[in-house]
Amino acid sequence: MNSTHNNLQKSWGTLLTATENYARQCTDILFNECNRRISWKLLNEAAKLSKFGSHDEEVYNHCKRLVLSYKETVDLHDRFHDEIVSHEVREIIDGIVTVLVSRLREFEEMNIDTIIKSDTNPVTVEKNAIIAQATNNLVKCINNQRLTFSEEMSAFCVRWMRQNLAKEFLLEAISKEILPVIYKSYCSGLELCKSQLNDINHRKKIQLYLTLMEDELEILSTIIKIQVKALEQAVEYASNPLEKIAVHKILSLLREAYQHFGRASTEIAAVFRRLEEDKLDKALNIPVSYDSFEKFLLDRFRKIRFSNSNRIKEKVGIFKSQIENEIDSFLGRYKLDFYKSIYRFRRMASVEIMLADEMINIFVNLHNAWPVLEQDAEKELQQEILQGVAETIEIKVDGLKESTLQFKEECAKAIADFSAKNNPPTDEKLQTAHVEAWRLWTENSEDFFQSYPEAPVFAEFSQYYEKSTSRCQENLEKKLMKFKREVLLYEISTYEEIIAYSVSRLREDEATQYAAELADTTLAKLEVLLKKNNIELIRPNPHDTFNPKEHEILMAETLPEFKKGEIVKLMNSGYRQRDTVLLRANVIVAR
């Protein structure tokens, strides 16, 4: 068993290592996919959480477009300056451009011009930085959970092997142990995004753009309502065609800027006012519940295929078959012990039955050889004795046969009952035993060989079998002892009495001495038969000391030649088998 245990332990260590490596590969795939999918989801969901939403980018884009319109207007003025010859037109346009140049200079001083000139929207950069921070925190959480799961990998692999490396078991473990923590981090990330995106201290650029839009709308309104109107009237009287073209281009740019910026700034201002007036910041309404979050990931995980799954399952199957072989061996030993017990019980009964059959044959032979005297008035007493002994022997034979048959039937029934209750395990119980053995091994491989016989499914075979065997053996031994004492030895004992009281009177007559010798020979045969069966006679001699364990007092006499407690006479022999006294010898003791 030690050799088997050592071999199994080595195989188990190799299998655990291979399974752990496989499990790490599978979980790495799942965690990497989790990282990608959840980060992508956080990015998409976080983008929806800002109170200002897409208006952040709109403010920037409208401001940028306005600045470009200003620059383009100033450039047109500079390009067509020499073509504008009308004094009134030149004066109005110079006034407008002076205002625009002043605004552009103020933009430069406020560093807004540099921001607007940039190809990258600073609002988008700010948003991406906030979302990136939340995403990085989520990735750290996922990696920490990967590490936590990895630390418990050995214990998980053992549980996983019990489930035949089922993919669903791995997903369920991740779902129960990992996803709740990741979901919490995911929600925290969204809350962080919302908080930071809506924090006014982090929205200075937006507030600056908002103030800028309000100011510029007022300036543009003044230009359009006063200066542009005056310019339209003045240009009607211009004589230079190029002058008219330049002025109309400038007017078109200003009108377009006013129309677009005026409408956009009004809408955005209304949005900002409404949001600022809403003092109660509503609780974050997470777009995805945990159930949806879990389903989103698990549905994706189920589509992933793991390579080498059949190979590792085959290794687990081979090792399980080794455990099953050990259990089959155990149950095979139980089966062998069962058949050995059946054989032992039958042997126990057959020994007594053979002893009974030989006794019957001895008495039958005695009965067949027993002499009969011819009618003779002088021999009447001897004839009665002979006839009486013959009848007694016949009764003994019939009684022995009947008792032996009854004993045989009782033993056969006891053995049949034992056999019926201890049949070898069925296929269903064998399968249950295999499953239980695999569970016990994975729980404690070190003590497997000591512990599994005590498990209920095996105790059903081992302990119950042992108890059942013990009960059956005890029952049979009682039957054997009773049959031996109350039937076999009783018949021999009473036969001794016949010799002592009846046959002894046949020794006096020459005609019946043959019968006495025949009776003595029969007794000798019986004693040989008993000795062959390891049964010794207890026959104390006169003057032997009385022993209550082996002797039974029939009567006590006072005799001068005997001391108190000495045996005076043996009445019936006793019988001992090994260390057990079957029947005590009947004696007369001195007092």
Side-chain angles (χ1 to χ4, degrees):
M1 184 175 292
N2 288 337
S3 175
T4 303
H5 195 181
N6 291 337
N7 291 336
L8 282 174
Q9 283 291 352
K10 289 179 182 178
S11 300
W12 177 243
T14 303
L15 178 62
L16 270 180
T17 301
T19 307
E20 278 191 42
N21 291 337
Y22 173 69
R24 291 182 193 282
Q25 292 173 6
C26 294
T27 52
D28 281 346
I29 292 171
L30 294 177
F31 275 101
N32 289 339
E33 183 65 17
C34 178
N35 202 331
R36 285 193 297 271
R37 301 292 290 180
I38 298 301
S39 297
W40 171 84
K41 194 169 189 63
L42 178 68
L43 180 66
N44 282 272
E45 296 296 339
K48 304 174 185 177
L49 289 178
S50 170
K51 269 198 308 189
F52 305 127
S54 61
H55 295 294
D56 290 350
E57 284 79 4
E58 288 181 26
V59 170
Y60 169 81
N61 291 330
H62 292 319
C63 289
K64 183 173 183 177
R65 181 169 178 174
L66 179 65
V67 170
L68 292 176
S69 296
Y70 286 178
K71 287 182 177 294
E72 191 173 353
T73 301
V74 172
D75 289 343
L76 275 172
H77 171 267
D78 293 343
R79 196 185 328 152
F80 293 99
H81 185 270
D82 295 339
E83 305 298 336
I84 301 172
V85 293
S86 301
H87 176 72
E88 186 178 0
V89 172
R90 180 188 292 276
E91 187 178 352
I92 295 171
I93 287 180
D94 285 347
I96 291 173
V97 169
T98 300
V99 172
L100 297 183
V101 170
S102 173
R103 297 305 300 155
L104 289 172
R105 189 176 297 114
E106 186 174 345
F107 292 164
E108 290 179 1
E109 292 173 358
M110 294 170 62
N111 203 32
I112 293 176
D113 184 58
T114 305
I115 295 172
I116 291 174
K117 285 179 181 178
S118 171
D119 292 333
T120 305
N121 187 338
V123 177
T124 303
V125 172
E126 180 185 3
K127 275 188 171 183
N128 290 342
I130 292 172
I131 295 173
Q133 180 185 358
T135 304
N136 289 337
N137 291 340
L138 179 60
V139 170
K140 287 180 182 178
C141 173
I142 293 173
N143 288 335
N144 286 338
Q145 290 307 301
R146 185 201 304 251
L147 181 61
T148 299
F149 197 78
S150 179
E151 289 172 352
E152 302 295 328
M153 189 62 73
S154 294
F156 168 77
C157 284
V158 171
R159 299 198 309 273
W160 196 22
M161 279 192 282
R162 285 190 215 150
Q163 303 298 324
N164 199 28
L165 302 182
K167 183 179 180 180
E168 278 299 322
F169 186 81
L170 173 59
L171 299 187
E172 183 180 351
I174 290 177
S175 176
K176 286 182 179 179
E177 301 172 22
I178 302 302
L179 291 190
V181 180
I182 295 177
Y183 176 72
K184 185 176 180 181
S185 177
Y186 171 79
C187 293
S188 299
L190 288 179
E191 290 180 4
L192 176 66
C193 287
K194 179 191 176 189
S195 173
Q196 291 188 347
L197 290 174
N198 291 327
D199 189 345
I200 212 67
N201 292 326
H202 290 81
R203 313 298 296 160
K204 290 180 180 178
K205 295 184 182 67
I206 297 301
Q207 292 299 319
L208 181 62
Y209 295 150
L210 179 61
T211 302
L212 174 65
M213 290 182 73
E214 292 173 348
D215 293 343
E216 294 309 311
L217 181 60
E218 184 177 349
I219 292 170
L220 267 176
S221 296
T222 302
I223 291 174
I224 293 296
K225 291 176 182 178
I226 298 175
Q227 293 175 295
V228 168
K229 188 174 182 180
L231 185 60
E232 287 176 340
Q233 293 174 353
V235 79
E236 292 294 331
Y237 301 102
S239 57
N240 186 355
L242 290 176
E243 181 180 3
K244 286 187 176 183
I245 292 172
V247 170
H248 282 301
K249 283 186 178 182
I250 290 172
L251 287 173
S252 178
L253 279 173
L254 291 173
R255 288 195 194 97
E256 183 181 352
Y258 177 72
Q259 289 174 356
H260 174 81
F261 194 72
R263 183 175 61 253
S265 61
T266 301
E267 292 174 356
I268 292 174
V271 171
F272 273 67
R273 280 196 304 272
R274 186 172 65 252
L275 292 171
E276 289 302 314
E277 289 170 0
D278 185 10
K279 301 301 181 183
L280 296 175
D281 189 15
K282 295 179 182 179
L284 176 64
N285 182 19
I286 299 300
V288 180
S289 66
Y290 177 74
D291 290 341
S292 300
F293 177 86
E294 182 184 47
K295 185 177 184 302
F296 168 76
L297 280 178
L298 293 184
D299 286 348
R300 177 58 189 164
F301 288 167
R302 289 188 181 98
K303 296 177 182 177
I304 296 174
R305 292 191 177 183
F306 300 137
S307 59
N308 299 325
S309 60
N310 291 333
R311 219 164 126 198
I312 196 71
K313 286 180 181 178
E314 184 180 351
K315 289 183 178 181
V316 174
I318 291 172
F319 187 80
K320 282 177 69 176
S321 67
Q322 291 178 274
I323 300 296
E324 290 171 2
N325 289 339
E326 171 59 28
I327 297 309
D328 291 344
S329 175
F330 166 79
L331 296 178
R333 292 194 296 272
Y334 152 76
K335 187 175 180 180
L336 181 61
D337 289 344
F338 164 72
Y339 287 123
K340 283 182 178 179
S341 297
I342 294 289
Y343 173 78
R344 184 172 72 254
F345 296 154
R346 288 175 179 167
R347 178 68 179 168
M348 288 168 62
S350 67
V351 168
E352 302 305 319
I353 293 169
M354 287 173 63
L355 174 58
D357 288 340
E358 289 190 51
M359 281 181 58
I360 291 170
N361 286 333
I362 290 173
F363 281 122
V364 167
N365 291 335
L366 174 61
H367 184 268
N368 291 338
W370 196 249
V372 177
L373 291 178
E374 296 180 1
Q375 291 295 329
D376 186 345
E378 294 181 1
K379 304 291 185 181
E380 186 175 350
L381 177 60
Q382 285 85 346
Q383 287 175 343
E384 289 178 0
I385 294 172
L386 288 172
Q387 185 176 356
V389 171
E391 290 174 355
T392 303
I393 293 172
E394 186 176 1
I395 292 171
K396 280 184 176 296
V397 170
D398 291 341
L400 275 170
K401 286 181 178 180
E402 183 178 349
S403 297
T404 302
L405 179 60
Q406 183 180 350
F407 171 72
K408 189 184 297 185
E409 290 173 351
E410 289 176 355
C411 290
K413 184 178 183 306
I415 295 171
D417 289 345
F418 170 79
S419 178
K421 293 176 181 176
N422 293 276
N423 285 325
T426 61
D427 290 343
E428 182 180 356
K429 287 190 175 181
L430 193 61
Q431 180 61 32
T432 302
H434 286 166
V435 172
E436 179 66 5
W438 178 239
R439 183 187 70 80
L440 291 171
W441 176 271
T442 54
E443 282 184 354
N444 190 357
S445 62
E446 292 294 334
D447 295 331
F448 173 75
F449 285 90
Q450 288 73 34
S451 63
Y452 83 78
E454 303 299 324
V457 68
F458 299 109
E460 178 183 349
F461 302 120
S462 58
Q463 293 179 4
Y464 175 78
Y465 164 73
E466 290 173 5
K467 291 177 181 177
S468 180
T469 304
S470 179
R471 284 195 299 268
C472 185
Q473 180 154 338
E474 185 179 346
N475 184 27
L476 279 175
E477 286 175 349
K478 286 180 180 178
K479 290 181 183 299
L480 295 174
M481 187 62 71
K482 182 178 180 181
F483 179 68
K484 194 177 294 183
R485 283 175 173 168
E486 298 181 9
V487 177
L488 302 183
L489 298 180
Y490 170 79
E491 294 296 342
I492 295 176
S493 181
T494 55
Y495 179 69
E496 276 192 283
E497 292 179 1
I498 293 172
I499 292 177
Y501 294 103
S502 298
V503 174
S504 60
R505 286 184 285 178
L506 299 176
R507 302 182 194 279
E508 300 170 357
D509 192 322
E510 187 177 345
T512 57
Q513 280 183 352
Y514 170 72
E517 292 174 0
L518 188 59
D520 292 339
T521 301
T522 298
L523 182 59
K525 289 180 179 179
L526 290 172
E527 291 176 356
V528 170
L529 178 61
L530 293 177
K531 188 174 182 181
K532 187 172 69 173
N533 284 270
N534 298 314
I535 299 175
E536 300 176 8
L537 275 69
I538 301 175
R539 283 184 174 167
N541 297 311
H543 297 286
D544 284 350
T545 302
F546 173 76
N547 179 355
K549 290 184 180 180
E550 296 184 346
H551 309 144
E552 184 175 359
I553 300 174
L554 289 183
M555 60 183 298
E557 296 180 351
T558 302
L559 297 172
E561 63 270 29
F562 286 91
K563 296 179 182 178
K564 182 180 178 181
E566 287 185 343
I567 294 173
V568 175
K569 184 179 181 180
L570 172 67
M571 302 303 293
N572 290 96
S573 300
Y575 303 94
R576 180 197 303 111
Q577 190 168 35
R578 298 182 180 88
D579 296 329
T580 302
V581 175
L582 303 175
L583 284 179
R584 290 184 294 176
N586 294 330
V587 295
I588 297 174
V589 179
R591 63 182 176 186

